[in-house]
Amino acid sequence: MEELPVPHNIKISNITCDSFKISWEMDSKSKDRITHYFIDLNKKENKNSNKFKHKDVPTKLVAKAVPLPMTVRGHWFLSPRTEYTVAVQTASKQVDGDYVVSEWSEIIEFCTADYSKVHLTQLLEKAEVIAGRMLKFSVFYRNQHKEYFDYVREHHGNAMQPSVKDNSGSHGSPISGKLEGIFFSCSTEFNTGKPPQDSPYGRYRFEIAAEKLFNPNTNLYFGDFYCMYTAYHYVILVIAPVGSPGDEFCKLRLPQLNSKDNKFLTCTEEDGVLVYHHAQDVILEVIFTDPVDLSLGTVAEITGHQLMSLSTANAKKDPSCKTCNISVGR
């Protein structure tokens, strides 16, 4: 009996955060005997395991021979933004239930995509459930060390510059490692209505009137929802001046929120004055995508403590939390 054709020239296409299409070429010889495809998928760090595969080693997916390209979805719990290796062999099911298989193909590498707007909307809807009631606030603030503000004055002409967002939060977030912005907070203490005196990010605080950053000339986007093995949750929002590069980036990738009516952060007009509210039961991390001049606000030392344990720098999301995870990966 002739050997089954070995797949070659494998192509991966239509990659999402939890699916892909795969196709390949085969010699026509013995092609009509193929009843199934065996597909082996591994995270890239385990790629050496393929070297030890033999014809009789079970594979992770046995699929009926369908016209190519074949969509692979739901067979594995694919993670977003993750590198994988894939190899294929052809198989012919025998009358006794066993398979005759070809040699393994070459190993191909590919990377899954970020969350799409559809996935982010699922996260958004989960965040809305726990956002809680809205509290009034009047300033955005940013805590840093004294050296940071000194550097801004000396080297950047007094303007804080956007920097690339770190990898904290959901692994599939399209803003991690890509969006440039400046982090601000707006949370207030329930009893005073003012920003808390403690901070994980430094003893010096820049405060700026809310209308200087968030107004009818800006757009508001939902960026992420996560926790760090804690009871409280974080929501990342992005404020981008209309038509700015940050706005164009977000428009393609993030769900846009109605600035006047959403569960997290609102800007409304009352008697000709802009009024601001933030959600009480989540911690908001607000990214502003343009430079901000220190002259637009004030810098002063806080009187409270520097609570490093609350820092979210490169924090990993709890993959087991049912509140802030969706079913397509972490």
Side-chain angles (χ1 to χ4, degrees):
M1 188 181 290
E2 288 186 358
E3 290 192 359
L4 291 171
V6 180
H8 60 274
N9 197 22
I10 296 174
K11 294 275 195 306
I12 305 292
S13 61
N14 296 76
I15 300 170
T16 72
C17 67
D18 64 346
S19 69
F20 61 92
K21 285 188 175 181
I22 185 169
S23 62
W24 56 85
E25 295 175 8
M26 294 177 286
D27 294 335
S28 55
K29 203 167 43 172
S30 301
K31 198 173 175 182
D32 56 344
R33 289 175 46 221
I34 298 171
T35 61
H36 291 78
Y37 304 135
F38 288 6
I39 301 176
D40 184 36
L41 185 79
N42 291 287
K43 284 191 176 179
K44 192 174 174 183
E45 58 263 31
N46 298 325
K47 64 181 178 181
N48 289 337
S49 64
N50 280 309
K51 292 179 179 176
F52 305 103
K53 286 206 165 289
H54 299 285
K55 284 188 178 183
D56 57 346
V57 175
T59 57
K60 292 190 174 76
L61 173 65
V62 179
K64 284 188 176 179
V66 295
L68 300 177
M70 182 176 79
T71 299
V72 178
R73 176 189 285 114
H75 303 98
W76 295 280
F77 194 74
L78 286 171
S79 295
R81 201 185 277 201
T82 302
E83 292 183 321
Y84 288 94
T85 62
V86 64
V88 188
Q89 60 184 176
T90 56
S92 177
K93 193 170 186 178
Q94 308 299 291
V95 289
D96 59 3
D98 285 342
Y99 290 92
V100 174
V101 295
S102 71
E103 296 289 345
W104 283 100
S105 70
E106 76 272 28
I107 298 168
I108 298 297
E109 298 179 359
F110 71 100
C111 185
T112 48
D114 297 334
Y115 284 155
S116 67
K117 279 188 183 180
V118 171
H119 301 113
L120 287 172
T121 300
Q122 292 174 23
L123 270 184
L124 162 63
E125 290 167 352
K126 278 180 160 277
E128 287 177 334
V129 173
I130 68 158
R133 69 190 186 102
M134 303 291 276
L135 298 178
K136 191 176 281 190
F137 77 101
S138 59
V139 297
F140 289 104
Y141 56 95
R142 173 174 173 80
N143 276 73
Q144 278 286 354
H145 300 285
K146 182 177 182 294
E147 293 76 15
Y148 169 83
F149 293 110
D150 290 343
Y151 188 87
V152 167
R153 292 185 189 100
E154 286 179 38
H155 299 279
H156 291 301
N158 216 46
M160 294 185 290
Q161 300 297 312
S163 58
V164 176
K165 185 197 169 296
D166 66 12
N167 288 314
S168 61
S170 300
H171 188 59
S173 172
I175 61 177
S176 293
K178 294 180 181 178
L179 177 68
E180 293 189 0
I182 305 170
F183 264 104
F184 286 92
S185 300
C186 63
S187 299
T188 54
E189 291 182 323
F190 178 73
N191 55 343
T192 66
K194 295 181 178 179
Q197 279 303 311
D198 300 325
S199 168
Y201 299 110
R203 294 195 57 79
Y204 284 78
R205 175 174 292 168
F206 171 75
E207 280 192 13
I208 183 170
E211 61 264 22
K212 298 279 180 65
L213 299 186
F214 187 28
N215 54 59
N217 296 316
T218 57
N219 284 326
L220 180 67
Y221 298 91
F222 173 84
D224 201 3
F225 176 45
Y226 70 101
C227 72
M228 305 180 298
Y229 303 89
T230 52
Y232 44 87
H233 281 79
Y234 295 84
V235 169
I236 298 179
L237 302 176
V238 183
I239 298 175
V242 174
S244 66
D247 190 36
E248 296 304 315
F249 177 96
C250 294
K251 201 172 287 184
L252 295 172
R253 298 168 177 83
L254 305 181
Q256 185 171 347
L257 301 175
N258 181 341
S259 297
K260 297 178 182 179
D261 183 19
N262 67 80
K263 300 285 189 183
F264 311 111
L265 187 72
T266 59
C267 167
T268 55
E269 191 173 323
E270 295 178 16
D271 301 322
V273 178
L274 294 178
V275 178
Y276 295 87
H277 290 83
H278 71 80
Q280 176 185 6
D281 294 342
V282 291
I283 299 173
L284 295 181
E285 297 183 308
V286 180
I287 300 175
F288 188 76
T289 61
D290 271 15
V292 176
D293 199 291
L294 293 179
S295 65
L296 295 174
T298 59
V299 177
E301 189 172 2
I302 59 172
T303 58
H305 301 286
Q306 188 175 335
L307 305 173
M308 294 304 292
S309 61
L310 295 179
S311 171
T312 60
N314 285 306
K316 298 302 177 193
K317 179 173 181 174
D318 177 2
S320 63
C321 177
K322 290 184 171 62
T323 301
C324 62
N325 280 292
I326 54 177
S327 61
V328 293
R330 304 310 190 219

